[in-house]
Amino acid sequence: MTGALFDRIATGGGGAEAVAVFAGSEHSRRLVLLRAVVARAEERGGAPGADARRAWSVLSAARHVSPSVVRELLCYPATGLGLLHGLRALDEPRPAPTSPAPLTSLSALSAAAAVRTGLTRTLALPVSAEGVLLPSMGLARFRGVRDGETALVHSGPDAAVEVDGRRVSVPARHWEDGEDWLAVRRAAVVGDGEPLLLDDLDPYAFPSAQRAPRLTERQYAHWRTTIRQGLRLLRSEHPETAAEVEGGLRTLVPLRSPGPAGTSCSSAEAFGCLALSSPSSAASVALAFTHETQHNKLSALLHLFDFFATDDPAARYYAPWRGDARPLSGLLQGTYAFLGVAQYWNRCLGSAHGPDEAHMAELELARWRQAVRTGVAQLTDCHAFTPTGRRFVSGMRTALRQLSVRSLPLTVVARADDLAAEHRRRWVEANGAVPGTPEWAG
């Protein structure tokens, strides 16, 4: 990564060049994680060691057939979380009785690679919740079958999953539902024809208990339509963000809706994944994609560079978008994400259609510009950063100065001040005092 690109990312951008670098670095990270799981399993020996060697052999053979497919599977967001679960489970002396076998995710990954590359293999996988999942592809359902029973995945010309003589075919168009086959469906096509998948099946798709159950056809149609509208909005009015989204985003995970405002989130170990509740409009999609892409970029950057010279786990900070005190890493993530949000509304103001849209963009810009100012001020005063971390914070400060050039109506600024003061008041009621003030005793 060049210094110029690092600085562009720090100011909230980076575009297609940034996500291309991150795609390569996250692929390398997955390879290291995969090798760590295999090595740990071989140290354990027995069934885990044999399972790991078998999966490694299949992945190696599949890579000879199609390196791009295996790379895509390794970079699938759920793969990172699944491999991490396996690595942690292998460290446990006695896994919990209800925990999946530590190598299930790795074995399922190798089975998906065999099916998608056309290798002729027969691989064993355990049944879970009356189904057998092939990551990034779909779930073969076997009603009435107990968890832990052995299923056979037959790859090759007529790919299928079999349990006790019952056979479920894997459709050639595996992203479409078939008889007893639930697909990981497509929400849109992005970038150079890459599918944006809607994964409401994989237990490792996102680390949240708030994941929604399988979407109905009607719900799926709503998601597909709204997501595509949101992408069109980004392309037309926020081209650099659109390039980042389309170059890096690979899966969407539906969440249960917590209320009318909706929610979105991302995970550092699931690069390319965004979890969100049912989208209400194209604008809500565009804003959620903007916000979470910032988190994805910063998480990938933190996998490459050390930002923190010291780590005080007890240190807490005030974030004007949260109801709790945040650790330094959380403040950094939130400030960077809302920098992107403020830049989003700044662009919206430049392309607003009519006074109502302009007023909303002004108010949102004023509110989040002020919130970012609060976050950046605390980050600037913090002495826990390395020189690289300080350079990044300096980039955010530069972007904030650029946002502050735009003059806003005094009534709008006053309203934003009122909203900020109300948030701070409620925060103090819940937490006692704002960190850094004389009253703070955290």
Side-chain angles (χ1 to χ4, degrees):
M1 178 178 291
T2 65
L5 178 57
F6 181 95
D7 292 337
R8 280 182 13 233
I9 295 168
T11 57
E17 183 183 2
V19 294
V21 170
F22 291 143
S25 63
E26 290 296 304
H27 175 242
S28 295
R29 183 177 173 85
R30 294 290 173 81
L31 287 171
V32 171
L33 181 56
L34 171 64
R35 192 68 194 99
V37 171
V38 172
R40 191 70 52 83
E42 288 179 329
E43 290 173 6
R44 286 278 295 267
D51 290 345
R53 285 190 294 273
R54 190 178 304 111
W56 180 270
S57 174
V58 172
L59 286 169
S60 298
R63 186 176 180 278
H64 281 293
V65 175
S66 178
S68 61
V69 167
V70 174
R71 181 188 178 106
E72 180 185 330
L73 281 166
L74 279 175
C75 293
Y76 191 66
T79 298
L81 294 167
L83 290 177
L84 268 179
H85 166 82
L87 190 61
R88 290 166 180 160
L90 287 166
D91 281 336
E92 295 177 3
R94 293 184 179 179
T98 56
S99 297
L103 273 299
T104 296
S105 180
L106 176 58
S107 298
L109 180 70
S110 68
V115 172
R116 289 189 55 183
T117 58
L119 285 177
T120 302
R121 294 285 193 280
T122 296
L123 305 168
L125 287 178
V127 175
S128 177
E130 297 186 324
V132 176
L133 180 82
L134 298 180
S136 82
M137 299 181 66
L139 179 82
R141 291 187 296 179
F142 295 91
R143 296 178 182 85
V145 177
R146 297 188 305 276
D147 283 4
E149 286 197 46
T150 298
L152 299 177
V153 179
H154 305 287
S155 60
D158 299 308
V161 183
E162 181 181 359
V163 178
D164 289 338
R166 297 163 57 185
R167 193 177 181 93
V168 174
S169 295
V170 179
R173 294 167 64 88
H174 57 77
W175 54 90
E176 297 176 354
D177 287 350
E179 186 176 357
D180 287 323
W181 173 260
L182 295 179
V184 175
R185 295 169 290 191
R186 296 181 173 182
V189 175
V190 295
D192 297 326
E194 292 287 339
L196 175 57
L197 300 178
L198 190 63
D199 196 338
D200 50 9
L201 295 172
D202 197 323
Y204 297 111
F206 195 77
S208 172
Q210 297 303 313
R211 289 201 309 269
R214 174 76 169 178
L215 298 180
T216 66
E217 282 299 324
R218 183 176 179 179
Q219 291 170 327
Y220 169 56
H222 168 74
W223 275 74
R224 190 174 63 243
T225 299
T226 314
I227 293 301
R228 292 175 181 180
Q229 291 171 345
L231 287 169
R232 283 196 294 271
L233 175 59
L234 283 175
R235 292 182 195 119
S236 65
E237 298 184 14
H238 311 270
E240 184 176 46
T241 301
E244 294 172 354
V245 170
E246 299 203 51
L249 189 60
R250 289 296 170 261
T251 61
L252 302 174
V253 176
L255 298 175
R256 300 177 190 273
S257 295
T263 190
S264 67
C265 46
S266 52
S267 168
E269 296 300 339
F271 180 79
C273 175
L274 187 161
L276 71 164
S277 52
S278 182
S280 59
S281 64
S284 72
V285 169
L287 185 57
F289 281 13
T290 300
H291 183 120
E292 299 306 333
T293 295
Q294 293 291 95
H295 283 307
N296 262 247
K297 288 189 298 181
L298 181 52
S299 293
L301 197 66
L302 290 170
H303 288 161
L304 293 174
F305 300 100
D306 289 327
F307 274 26
F308 307 109
T310 60
D311 180 19
D312 180 2
R316 290 294 182 268
Y317 300 84
Y318 170 65
W321 45 82
R322 293 277 300 219
D324 57 342
R326 304 296 291 152
L328 181 60
S329 59
L331 178 66
L332 177 66
Q333 278 280 2
T335 304
Y336 186 66
F338 279 96
L339 172 63
V341 168
Q343 291 170 328
Y344 172 91
W345 287 113
N346 189 50
R347 293 190 295 268
C348 287
L349 184 54
S351 59
H353 303 290
D356 289 343
E357 281 192 17
H359 177 72
M360 181 175 73
E362 287 173 342
L363 182 57
E364 294 289 344
L365 171 58
R367 173 74 179 97
W368 299 119
R369 186 172 69 181
Q370 185 181 92
V372 171
R373 188 175 294 119
T374 299
V376 166
Q378 294 177 92
L379 295 171
T380 300
D381 291 342
C382 179
H383 300 291
F385 286 104
T386 63
T388 304
R390 288 197 298 273
R391 178 170 174 169
F392 188 84
V393 172
S394 176
M396 286 197 291
R397 197 163 54 245
T398 298
L400 179 61
R401 284 197 298 268
Q402 293 167 351
L403 282 173
S404 300
V405 169
R406 185 183 286 275
S407 178
L408 297 174
L410 293 179
T411 54
V412 169
V413 174
R415 177 58 179 153
D417 288 343
D418 290 343
L419 291 172
E422 175 62 16
H423 181 279
R424 190 180 180 100
R425 183 189 66 76
R426 286 186 279 109
W427 197 99
V428 169
E429 283 183 356
N431 298 277
V434 172
T437 64
E439 299 83 9
W440 173 249

